[in-house]
Amino acid sequence: MIKINSFSTSLEAAHGLTKLLLEQIGQCTEKDFHLALSGGSTPAALFQLWVDQYKEIIPWNRLQLYWVDERCVPPDHPESNFGMTKRILLDKVPLSDLHIHRIHGEDCPEEEAKRYSALIDDLLIKRNTYPEFDCILLGIGVDGHTSSLFPGQQYLLTYAETYAVSVQPQTGQQRIALTGLPILHAHKVIFFATGKEKLAILKEVIKGEDQYPAGYIVSRAADAELFTDCPL
Ligand code: 6PG
């Protein structure tokens, strides 16, 4: 089940998450730390905090960065997850381009899902045949989605490939999304969800209900933690 870390403010939750992440990086002594980042507005605040207060503390050159999901748009599009991360974080910290592995949202989605799955398979060590991220940072949408795995797309939770094409149900926007099994095989899964509007869905998700992709992950992940400012 999931360990819940509930704080009074989103800033405190972001500090708590960062402290845990630093511990995880510190414990990974034999190799680089392979970290998958999510997009959306919650990580944007986290990345800004890293730039403002952790720039000298995070060992940037030990990180290999990947994306949990990407909107199928070019990197300079306002909705690009990579673009947001680049503007807020990557342009401001000493991290070599060789450590940044973005999803090409501008390319043919099916081909890019295959290319990125193969890249991950090449770069990460395997556990039970699945690539093992050291840490996956996930968000939770108010509809209970995580990564870009939306309710009604449950087949992506047990999908055979590491990444798949999904569709945002309201807008029809295509996404490239990390699928369920590699999420469950990560060394550590950290959910970061803040704001009053997330309280109702978080109450459902932490029960581990399968109808919500985030709930499916919560009930099966070996080592998952939630950082939030919601009173759970
Ligand atoms: C995306 C994200 C997505 C996000 C949730 C929560 O591309 O939209 O990666 O999975 O984590 O939608 O988003 P917010 O933090 O904006 O609520």
Side-chain angles (χ1 to χ4, degrees):
M1 275 312 267
I2 190 163
K3 180 176 176 206
I4 296 166
N5 302 281
S6 181
F7 294 81
S8 357
T9 66
S10 58
L11 185 60
E12 285 173 55
H15 278 293
L17 186 162
T18 308
K19 188 167 167 269
L20 174 67
L21 189 62
L22 285 167
E23 283 167 14
Q24 298 285 313
I25 299 169
Q27 284 164 17
C28 173
T29 50
E30 305 287 312
K31 58 170 188 58
D32 283 349
F33 189 83
H34 296 260
L35 171 65
L37 301 173
S38 282
S41 54
T42 321
L46 180 68
F47 300 157
Q48 190 59 56
L49 177 71
W50 291 355
V51 169
D52 293 343
Q53 295 192 38
Y54 290 90
K55 193 169 165 181
E56 314 299 333
I57 298 171
I58 294 173
W60 299 104
N61 60 3
R62 296 222 31 239
L63 302 184
Q64 296 285 343
L65 291 187
Y66 306 88
W67 272 262
V68 168
D69 59 350
E70 184 56 281
R71 293 94 182 266
C72 291
V73 294
D76 55 357
H77 190 284
E79 287 178 27
S80 164
N81 283 339
F82 169 77
M84 174 278 282
T85 310
K86 182 175 184 322
R87 283 189 301 279
I88 297 179
L89 178 68
L90 304 177
D91 285 348
K92 313 273 169 59
V93 297
L95 183 62
S96 154
D97 284 352
L98 296 174
H99 290 230
I100 299 170
H101 311 280
R102 78 173 178 95
I103 300 173
H104 297 164
E106 68 275 30
D107 288 349
C108 162
E110 285 75 19
E111 281 172 22
E112 178 58 9
K114 282 199 196 115
R115 183 198 71 88
Y116 203 67
S117 297
L119 178 96
I120 297 295
D121 283 356
D122 270 1
L123 296 182
L124 271 63
I125 56 162
K126 302 271 188 328
R127 183 160 67 95
N128 299 336
T129 75
Y130 293 96
E132 184 182 40
F133 287 98
D134 292 301
C135 182
I136 299 181
L137 188 59
L138 290 172
I140 299 176
V142 288
D143 58 356
H145 81 261
T146 193
S147 174
S148 279
L149 311 174
F150 295 90
Q153 300 169 1
Q154 260 73 355
Y155 69 99
L156 293 176
L157 293 164
T158 53
Y159 200 70
E161 303 298 329
T162 305
Y163 281 79
V165 180
S166 73
V167 177
Q168 211 284 355
Q170 271 81 48
T171 62
Q173 182 186 56
Q174 286 189 300
R175 306 276 182 96
I176 294 170
L178 182 61
T179 56
L181 293 170
I183 295 177
L184 293 177
H185 284 81
H187 185 70
K188 185 95 186 175
V189 172
I190 302 180
F191 287 98
F192 185 42
T194 60
K196 289 189 189 62
E197 69 284 4
K198 297 276 169 84
L199 177 61
I201 190 64
L202 287 182
K203 284 185 174 167
E204 296 305 310
V205 161
I206 60 175
K207 291 183 203 157
E209 301 207 1
D210 280 0
Q211 74 202 84
Y212 304 110
Y216 180 97
I217 299 295
V218 160
S219 65
R220 290 167 179 80
D223 190 349
E225 298 202 28
L226 166 66
F227 287 79
T228 185
D229 59 352
C230 292
L232 293 171

